[in-house]
Amino acid sequence: MPATVIIGAQWGDEGKGKVVDLLAERSDVVARYQGGNNAGHTIVADGETFKLHLVPSGILYPGTTCIIGNGTVVDPGALCTEIDELEARGVPLDALRVSGNAHLIMPYHVMLDGAVERKLGRFSLGTTRRGIGPAYQDKAARVGIRAQDLLDPKILVRKLEIALADKNEVLERLFDMPRLDPEAVAEEQLGYAERLRPFIDDTALIVDRALAAGKHVLLEGAQGTMLDIDHGTYPFVTSSNPIAGAACTGVGLGPTRIDSVIGVTKAYVTRVGEGPFPTELDDADGTRMMERGAEFGTTTGRQRRCGWLDLVALRYAVRLSGVSELALTKLDVLSGFERVRICVAYRTREGETLSEFPYHQTVFHGCTPVYEDLPGWSEDITECRSLSDLPPPAREYVDRISSSADVPIRLIGTGQGRHQVIET
Ligand code: GDP
Ligand code: IMO
Ligand code: MG
């Protein structure tokens, strides 16, 4: 029963793209189950860099079916651009499928995302402004437009009329923005529909058949556990569930069909956008991580905030997703630190020590990290391909993480390249 979920165990950008690409070589299907083009998944293969936003990270293997599942939100224009760019680079896309039930990000969602962020001013969330939140809002309000609506122009216009009746009032009265004409929006979307028509399909059925035939299916998460709308640092989260459980609803399969969950974590922590981050560094160590790790957002180009690894948050991620193994990325970035720090617990404002992630935001916002210091290593590890190649302090660091999280570390990233990895 070979279905594996790959989740981000932190605040996103853990290196999920690289891990999925690596495992996709041995898989038949790769499916995205949530999020949209707020994601930016990087693959560096044979010196070429691919930044994928909606297209699953298995696309570089021509035989692999790549599914954009029903739980995602799809911006048709952005998807057309991504398809065109990949095709122009010689990547075949005939095995791409988009769920007919996936909700679409419409131009008004993007406008509203930006307008709400501007209005919030210093209280803004720092979203990617791709319309993700407003699109999921409409899905829950049952006024969303779905990929299948692109196949029926009459229904599309009717649904746009209903959705825009309210939206136009909000755009005009609250945000002083232009009203949108449903016919004009429909016309633009129908242009994309021509391009996307061959890809729209019953993707839950494709996944079911693949699993029934004993094929290997990867379920690719976007964002990360701490950005989960239920379990993350709400309201500084995304509008979907990146944790593993959402792979079931987001692709359309039962939990009994999933047999492993890989949690992807950096050897340190980064976060883009606003919100609490206990181990954040505002010093030379943080700058060093940012520079050596090239920590700039794949989607928005924003500088990522950096800090030491947080084992409290990592154990929380392992628990929430039932992580069965970890992929530890970017260990190479920590070469050259005299000592590496790991946050092993939180100290509350009242002086209490917490080993579990606190549910209450006020407690969490007041937490400071309790660190354990381990010896650093100066060696360049980018050529290491087995555990025994690693300098002893790096191995000690890896062992400490694995024993604290109580799960084996299956992969260790030692560089950006596809083959810069240690499989344990
Ligand atoms: P994702 O959103 O989780 O797929 O991660 P991103 O692609 O947004 O960010 C991760 C960045 O780290 C990308 O630029 C990757 O190429 C890079 N990366 C992934 N693994 C490693 C690694 O082990 N070492 C180094 N140096 N870079 C890595
Ligand atoms: P990948 O898949 C890192 C962050 C945004 C913001 C918050 C809400 O590449 O790991 P949204 O646009 O989703 O409403 O923004 O979530 N965010 C990400 N941070 N990696 C991502 O995706 C992210 N997608 C959204 O910066 O703080
Ligand atoms: Mg990313």
Side-chain angles (χ1 to χ4, degrees):
M1 199 181 46
T4 300
V5 189
I6 288 121
I7 59 127
Q10 300 170 321
W11 274 282
D13 302 327
E14 297 89 349
K16 298 174 293 293
K18 175 177 162 170
V19 172
V20 171
D21 168 72
L22 199 68
L23 301 176
E25 194 177 7
R26 295 161 243 167
S27 304
D28 305 286
V29 178
V30 180
R32 276 276 306 270
Y33 58 87
Q34 46 69 237
N37 59 328
N38 48 348
H41 296 180
T42 314
I43 304 170
V44 180
D46 308 323
E48 262 200 272
T49 302
F50 296 86
K51 291 175 190 285
L52 302 170
H53 299 287
L54 269 165
V55 172
S57 302
I59 201 68
L60 300 186
Y61 299 97
T64 303
T65 303
C66 282
I67 289 174
I68 300 177
N70 58 275
T72 63
V73 281
V74 177
D75 183 325
L79 180 56
C80 286
T81 305
E82 194 168 334
I83 289 172
D84 290 344
E85 284 174 3
L86 285 167
E87 270 185 348
R89 294 178 70 180
V91 178
L93 283 130
D94 9 309
L96 179 69
R97 294 290 174 272
V98 181
S99 167
N101 289 350
H103 277 252
L104 299 182
I105 300 178
M106 291 287 108
Y108 45 89
H109 294 134
V110 180
M111 289 163 74
L112 286 168
D113 196 355
V116 170
E117 282 285 276
R118 279 192 295 278
K119 194 158 195 135
L120 283 169
R122 67 187 182 90
F123 298 111
S124 73
L125 305 179
T127 74
T128 59
R129 301 194 180 202
R130 298 293 188 272
I132 307 296
Y136 276 117
Q137 242 174 298
D138 276 4
K139 174 179 177 176
R142 293 163 294 184
V143 290
I145 315 287
R146 295 186 294 171
Q148 58 182 281
D149 298 328
L150 292 177
L151 306 178
D152 189 331
K154 263 201 206 135
I155 287 187
L156 181 66
V157 178
R158 184 80 197 101
K159 289 194 174 179
L160 283 168
E161 279 167 357
I162 293 169
L164 278 169
D166 290 0
K167 292 289 177 315
N168 272 334
E169 298 302 314
V170 175
L171 285 172
E172 190 179 52
R173 287 167 196 250
L174 278 186
F175 298 115
D176 207 17
M177 292 175 98
R179 297 173 77 89
L180 298 180
D181 170 28
E183 300 270 356
V185 175
E187 199 181 306
E188 186 190 14
Q189 296 304 317
L190 289 171
Y192 302 133
E194 279 319 299
R195 184 86 177 90
L196 298 179
R197 182 182 297 273
F199 300 112
I200 300 173
D201 212 330
D202 182 350
T203 52
L205 187 60
I206 297 173
V207 171
D208 176 67
R209 288 190 172 149
L211 287 172
K215 295 192 169 169
H216 287 250
V217 175
L218 295 180
L219 302 157
E220 175 180 2
Q223 291 78 54
T225 307
M226 306 306 284
L227 290 170
D228 187 280
I229 190 164
D230 285 283
H231 302 281
T233 52
Y234 192 91
F236 300 100
V237 294
T238 191
S239 297
S240 68
N241 292 108
I243 63 168
C248 294
T249 50
V251 163
L253 53 79
T256 50
R257 304 187 80 182
I258 291 173
D259 64 337
S260 59
V261 179
I262 301 177
V264 186
T265 173
K266 275 179 194 166
Y268 49 99
V269 182
T270 64
R271 173 164 205 173
V272 223
E274 302 306 318
F277 176 2
T279 62
E280 181 170 15
L281 291 170
D282 187 17
D283 62 8
D285 284 344
T287 307
R288 186 181 164 89
M289 284 172 194
M290 193 265 292
E291 285 173 357
R292 289 186 48 101
E295 296 297 354
F296 293 91
T298 312
T299 298
T300 56
R302 289 176 291 176
Q303 193 173 308
R304 296 173 180 152
R305 301 152 66 191
C306 297
W308 295 114
L309 187 66
D310 181 342
L311 286 179
V312 182
L314 183 62
R315 285 194 301 261
Y316 182 59
V318 166
R319 163 157 72 84
L320 289 171
S321 284
V323 167
S324 48
E325 48 211 315
L326 286 170
L328 180 72
T329 61
K330 302 191 109 163
L331 187 63
D332 53 299
V333 174
L334 292 187
S335 287
F337 282 93
E338 214 164 285
R339 52 111 176 81
V340 281
R341 314 196 84 182
I342 315 187
C343 165
V344 292
Y346 293 154
R347 180 138 313 126
T348 67
R349 273 200 194 101
E350 291 70 35
E352 196 188 340
T353 303
L354 302 179
S355 57
E356 292 288 349
F357 193 83
Y359 81 90
H360 204 292
Q361 61 190 357
T362 312
V363 178
F364 181 60
H365 286 226
C367 280
T368 47
V370 176
Y371 285 118
E372 189 178 291
D373 287 354
L374 275 78
W377 60 93
S378 55
E379 295 87 338
D380 177 346
I381 62 164
T382 54
E383 297 303 322
C384 294
R385 295 293 176 272
S386 75
L387 270 180
S388 56
D389 292 343
L390 287 178
R395 281 193 68 163
E396 195 189 325
Y397 186 66
V398 172
D399 289 344
R400 180 73 185 83
I401 296 165
S402 174
S403 67
S404 168
D406 202 20
V407 274
I409 293 182
R410 177 168 157 198
L411 298 170
I412 300 167
T414 56
Q416 264 202 308
R418 191 181 245 176
H419 300 296
Q420 287 182 297
V421 73
I422 295 171
E423 296 197 42
T424 65

